[in-house]
Amino acid sequence: MVHGFKLIKKENVKEINSLVYLFKHAKTNAELIKVENEDNNKTFSISFKTLPYSNNGIAHIMEHSVLMGSKKYPVKDPFGILSKGSMTTFLNAFTGSDRTIYPFSSTNDKEFMGLMDVYLDAVFNPLFYSEKNILKQEGWYYSLKDFDSPLTVNGIVYNEMKGALASPYAQLWNHVLKALFPDTVYKYISGGDPREITQLKQDEFIKFHQNYYHPSNSYIFLYGNGDLNKELELINHNYLSKYDKKEFNNSIKLQNNYRNNIDEEYKYSISRNEEKKNKSFISINWVIEKSSDLKLKAAMKIINDVLASSSGAILKKSLQDKEWGEDFVSSFDGSMKQMLLSLVLVNSDKKYKQNFLNLIYEELNKTVKNGIEKDLIKAAISDMEFHLREADYDGYSNGLVYNFKILSNWMFGNNPIESLKYEKILAFLKEKVQTDYFEKIIKKHLIDNDHKAVITLVPEKGLLEEEMLAEKKKLQKIKKEMSDEDVQRIIFETKELKKYQTKENTKKMLDKLPLLSLKDIDRKAKRFPIVEDKIEDININYYFTNTNNIIYFNLYFDTSVIPEEDIPYISLLTDLLEELDTKNYNYDKLSNQIRINTGGIEYETTCWKYKNNPNNLQPLIKIKSKVIPKKLDKLIELVGEIISNTVFTDYERLMKLIKQIRSELDMEHGYSGESLGIIRLQSYFSKCGVYGDLIDGYEYYKFIRKLDEQFDSKKENIAHKLKEISEKIFSINNFEIQTTLEKKDRDLFKREAVKIKKYLTEKKEEKKNYILKRNRKNEGFASSSTGVQNVYLGANYKDYGYNFEGSFMVLNQMISRDYLHKNLRIEGGAYGAWSILNTSGFFCLSSYRDPNLAETLEIFKKVVKYINNVNFSQKEITRLIIGTISTVEDPMSPSSEGQLGFKMKRIGLEKDYLQKIKNEILDTNSKKIKNHRKMIEQLIENSFVLVYGNAKKIKMNKNIFDKIINLN
Ligand SMILES: [Zn+2]
């Protein structure tokens, strides 16, 4: 027994180089797992099984609300303050369909222990029991300014979900779950449906907390090199020891009964001017046994890959020859109690439904009869294996990833440690390649499985508008039926909420939250030294580090040899590489070869700005790949094949791929607009911004739409252009290599890497000088599918002669995490709000899933007044400095470090640049921040505006815009 915990299991899990302990807390039955290893990026989380009983979003709103203050830390918004000033590498919370998870990661020991206490107090002793404004602010509330104003609804989760449910995919998914799991918690929208969120009341909210937020219903996770003894002591002494066991009736039912032949149709909203043609989604979905069957789960992932998700997937390929839809996507979900496989035909027409279903079953039957091609299975397993061994989770801490991996198994009562062991499973899968194991699964769990649903989503013109009108009428009716006292009460409560929101935390309260001092911060900045070498005229840039025995091989091609008018073609080229046949491979065989032999190849179009001359840009194609050393020769052969031998004249395939790109962009821009806004805005302010819009933004979208519409008359042209461009770019005169690897592999690398030469042309094109005229406008992007806005205001400080210094980042942290967070999220109800003030000159204030538009712009403009009036103590400045440092020093993967080191070198940043910036951040004081007021004032005065959002709202504010663009 250690601090009240009884050790149940202790195992060495060699796959992740860790010692894993499973404990049970004797007094409460709380379970705890510690994954102990040398990683100093420690993770803590506490999770609860939280079972929704309606679409009122109760679990989700609670996830937000517990982070709004607790007994021991009675500050109003501890989570916001911690995001403003901690060294955390991750800080967030998640609500799933049956669970709520509160994780954070930090590399600092002192902070890790401190935050653990904050998180535990938050979940067990939240303030919302007595402070009713929390549920209002985070969930929903009636807002009423005065007697004659219209009654409206606001709230953070209310607005968040309005944005989240705008996407047809999200709507489809909710209908699927409801159809397949009618007797379980999975039928509910755990995030909440805005129409039902407004039914949630304070007393049921408290009851839900009493019900589920108890140690006996908790799963605690620890990861990294922290002191286990101290960790257990804190958890037991400060929290768990104060509770007794509680019996829970919270097991999740299996959906064993099901209706046969579920075939349902639902509507989603498109605009009144939009064509209904080719806008339907047709899906077939199967429930596959319990997710605790880890072997079956792994096999299902392989089957999903083989049937539907890889380039050469069986169903994808057979749909390729049909004209029934523009895209085909699949998803496999193994996180719920029962697994679910979904296949969706995107941008189709419901008249093709039966054809689609027939084809699926025909192909499945054929596959079972003839057997799956072995290379296809091998490719899928090999891909899975590479990524498991690489364990690079792209910005997420490993602790967090392992936490997610074990949680399902753990919560459903199975041995959680098993989910971390992959060797056995990989060996099992490999052993089954030569048998008919996978075919048998297809037969049993797909073909002969009647627990399935066909769900179709069809477009309906102006549905959202109707719904918004109905909501408005409903609110009018509610107000009309209210007594005068009720109306007065709501006016009073609206004011009270405002008062609560604008009240500042006292210094005494703030002091209770853990805060590092600047002495705890290492003053030394990281370095990413690149070693240059030249072999047979090729520049090689090495970055040596420990890589888990992987070689990262990156090629950089200068694309300034392409004329300005053809820039979008460069991006199209990178979208098409590997998807088309080459001289020696069909595209599906090529995909198999890549996945069997490598960790994947990625193609990216990008643009760098030189430090000393930001108008002199460096456009590039970056080809990133990874491989184990003994297969480097094969990787180079494959990359070489792709860049030298791709065939662009398979018009049928080319047309399909362009349609597919278009349909993906339709989804992205029509329903969420996150990338569209920020990319487009930058085109107002810099050459690189204009370039970015052409390769990745609205201009690229326009380009693709045009190609799609005119494909038949232009196809020869397109193919010719692609060929010409690829020959010009993939030339021996045009490229450099950057590699991240272990020193031991240097000689091998030297020997192999030069072989890439034989795949390159000898074209020597003149470098073009791009004009890239800025697109200065105030634009409104109107979507008839969303009820909320993303609002942006921006400028370029380099236009006014300012130069970047570290204190800009602290100022940015202050505007983002203090000013915008308080005014737009807490008071305004927007789901997100932040600012950018980056090294290249870009300044931007923005909001996300925001119910407002003009009011938000007013708040943006008042930022100058805020900087003028704000009076931060040195301690608050320290908080901002620490938060800033953590944003610049997030742990990176070996490959990202190598790429950053190389980029810094090429754009002319001196060796100690990061050190200089770090010093300037650490030395920021209140005076320095205030000194930037003039700059911000000037930027605001000369700023431009961009809004992505609800069409009606944009039209109501049309005087703000020079141009309104209808997206759908
Ligand atoms: Zn949320």
Side-chain angles (χ1 to χ4, degrees), residues 60-61 63-64 92-95 138 156-157 160-161 191 825 831 849:
H60 180 197
I61 297 169
E63 169 226 310
H64 281 239
N92 213 332
F94 303 95
T95 310
E138 299 299 317
I156 294 173
V157 170
E160 178 189 348
M161 292 313 292
R825 179 168 159 125
Y831 177 45
R849 293 186 189 167

Side-chain angles (χ1 to χ4, degrees), residues 340-351:
L340 182 57
L341 180 72
S342 297
L343 306 176
V344 189
L345 189 61
V346 179
N347 286 349
S348 174
D349 193 293
K350 66 179 181 180
K351 70 177 179 214

